[in-house]
């Protein structure tokens, strides 16, 4: 969050996103989310990935 003056090197790329301070997750749901994210990162680091296009195709086929 860049809510104070910040000195960044010339040509630094900064991603701007709309951030919400709150959400509807309770503590149990938030813990489950964090566990799923950690599992996903561990899979990616272990090389268990697939192209995003394949996943999108699979999800699209389930909508039909």
């Amino acid at each position: 969050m860049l809510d104070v003056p910040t000195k960044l090197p010339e040509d630094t790329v900064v991603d701007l996103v709309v951030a919400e301070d709150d959400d509807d997750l309770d503590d149990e749901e938030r813990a489950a989310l964090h566990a799923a994210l950690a599992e996903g990162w561990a899979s990616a680091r272990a090389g268990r990935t697939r192209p995003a296009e394949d996943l999108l195709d699979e999800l699209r086929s389930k909508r039909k």
Side-chain angles (χ1 to χ4, degrees), residues 4-64:
V4 295
T6 305
K7 290 188 176 199
L8 297 172
E10 185 72 27
D11 296 326
T12 298
V13 176
V14 177
D15 294 323
L16 300 179
V17 297
V18 177
E20 295 183 25
D21 290 338
D22 60 346
D23 56 40
D24 295 335
L25 298 178
D26 62 27
D27 290 342
E28 185 176 320
E29 292 168 326
R30 186 173 313 287
L33 170 62
H34 286 268
L37 291 171
E39 182 180 339
W41 279 115
S43 290
R45 283 192 301 271
R48 295 186 304 269
T49 62
R50 62 180 179 165
E53 188 63 33
D54 292 352
L55 175 60
L56 292 173
D57 288 345
E58 180 183 325
L59 292 173
R60 287 182 186 120
S61 71
K62 290 181 180 182
R63 290 191 333 189
K64 296 177 183 180

